[in-house]
Amino acid sequence: MQLIVSPGYEQVTASWFSPDFWGRSAAPVSAGGRGGAWFIESDTSELVLRHYRRGGLVASLAEKTYFFTGFDRTRSTAEFNLLRKLRELSLPVPEPVAAITWKYRALWYRAAILVKRIPGAVTFAESECLEEATLWAEVGALIRRFHDEGLDHVDLNCDNILVSRGRIYLIDFDRCRLRAGVENSADAEWKRKNLDRLYRSVEKRCSRLDSEKRATCWASLLRAYQKKSS
Ligand SMILES: Nc1ncnc2c1ncn2[C@@H]1O[C@H](COP(=O)(O)OP(=O)(O)O)[C@@H](O)[C@H]1O
Ligand SMILES: [Mg+2]
């Protein structure tokens, strides 16, 4: 087992990663997850606990186990370190609290992460400002800031964009990476793929806008994305 804890959270133990440990202070996240996330109310802060799982139709046995190639390379360690870097770059992402890796049999592991909950956050599609083109433009400009820093968000969708008190955050950086140098050219393929993925999610999740409205909103997002951020 390996536990990594952020400064200021030395009280965190391995038990914190078990929803049962929290009893009524843990509540499953209903919006936007795949069933492995809980909101936690600790004595001092509100947290989100996430157990790494494969999405989709993978057989249940393999659902939570991953092939182990070293504690520094597990899903939880990678996301924890990436969140730290993104915060150093002043990008709006949740604060990482702790990450755990449990070795499971000789070659496998399970993993989980704790992050600070963004107070009052709703997912992008749930935002009451969804009909306002300015919200879409802010999302476009924000994605551009992440892209300029080289952040390839491999699961950019409406559930991984949160809105809280008029501010926008990106979350869920499992398998994401920072690309540097030649990999981070203005016309890099991964940037287009991130946006294509978000577009498909918008079509599914933002059905309360009619298709014409969706098209204008999406155009606002793209326009703001394409504008060089100063
Ligand atoms: N830091 C956070 N603050 C508030 N809500 C969060 C936070 N992290 C996750 N959530 C909520 O939990 C859902 C699932 O979390 P996420 O990190 O996207 O995991 P996954 O998609 O793998 O289940 C999100 O769509 C969001 O509704
Ligand atoms: Mg997600």
Side-chain angles (χ1 to χ4, degrees):
M1 194 264 291
Q2 176 183 266
L3 174 64
I4 318 172
V5 178
S6 284
Y9 294 97
E10 287 78 13
Q11 71 273 33
V12 175
T13 61
S15 325
W16 283 46
F17 293 87
S18 157
D20 292 344
F21 171 77
W22 296 101
R24 287 161 162 272
S25 301
V29 174
S30 49
R34 46 190 105 158
W38 295 263
F39 290 130
I40 306 281
E41 261 183 67
S42 85
D43 287 344
T44 49
S45 45
E46 301 217 349
L47 308 174
V48 180
L49 166 65
R50 202 166 95 245
H51 284 203
Y52 289 83
R53 296 187 172 185
R54 296 172 211 278
L57 301 168
V58 180
S60 60
L61 197 68
E63 197 191 347
K64 294 187 227 164
T65 53
Y66 298 92
F67 191 69
F68 184 79
T69 57
F71 280 114
D72 291 343
R73 299 162 60 99
T74 65
R75 309 290 272 251
S76 51
T77 310
E79 186 168 0
F80 181 90
N81 289 334
L82 182 56
L83 284 171
R84 272 222 288 236
K85 282 189 199 140
L86 295 173
R87 287 179 66 87
E88 277 167 20
L89 294 167
S90 301
L91 291 167
V93 302
E95 182 185 341
V97 170
I100 197 165
T101 301
W102 298 282
K103 270 305 281 302
Y104 178 75
R105 304 221 182 105
L107 298 174
W108 304 91
Y109 73 90
R110 294 180 175 188
I113 191 167
L114 278 166
V115 300
K116 278 278 280 284
R117 180 171 181 179
I118 297 159
V122 296
T123 62
F124 175 64
E126 290 171 338
S127 163
E128 55 189 26
C129 304
L130 192 65
E131 298 193 15
E132 294 171 22
T134 50
L135 178 70
W136 293 74
E138 283 169 34
V139 170
L142 183 62
I143 295 170
R144 175 63 185 268
R145 269 178 68 200
F146 276 82
H147 277 182
D148 284 352
E149 296 289 0
L151 191 278
D152 179 1
H153 198 307
V154 296
D155 195 15
L156 190 61
N157 63 38
C158 294
D159 296 325
N160 291 334
I161 301 174
L162 300 187
V163 184
S164 167
R165 303 179 187 141
R167 293 203 57 199
I168 300 160
Y169 300 79
L170 296 193
I171 62 163
D172 197 355
F173 294 93
D174 184 22
R175 293 182 296 113
C176 298
R177 50 188 290 206
L178 275 172
R179 296 177 180 273
V182 285
E183 282 192 26
N184 191 18
S185 62
D187 59 353
E189 171 89 355
W190 59 265
K191 296 182 177 175
R192 199 183 47 73
K193 279 192 182 156
N194 285 183
L195 290 168
D196 286 351
R197 184 171 185 87
L198 179 58
Y199 182 72
R200 288 197 300 275
S201 172
V202 161
E203 286 196 312
K204 272 194 244 158
R205 282 282 196 273
C206 302
S207 51
R208 71 178 149 110
L209 308 182
D210 63 40
S211 60
E212 202 177 321
K213 179 78 187 164
R214 264 202 318 267
T216 12
C217 286
W218 183 256
S220 303
L221 185 151
L222 282 187
R223 223 176 300 122
Y225 176 86
Q226 276 147 10
K227 208 151 89 186
K228 178 84 189 102
S229 43
S230 49

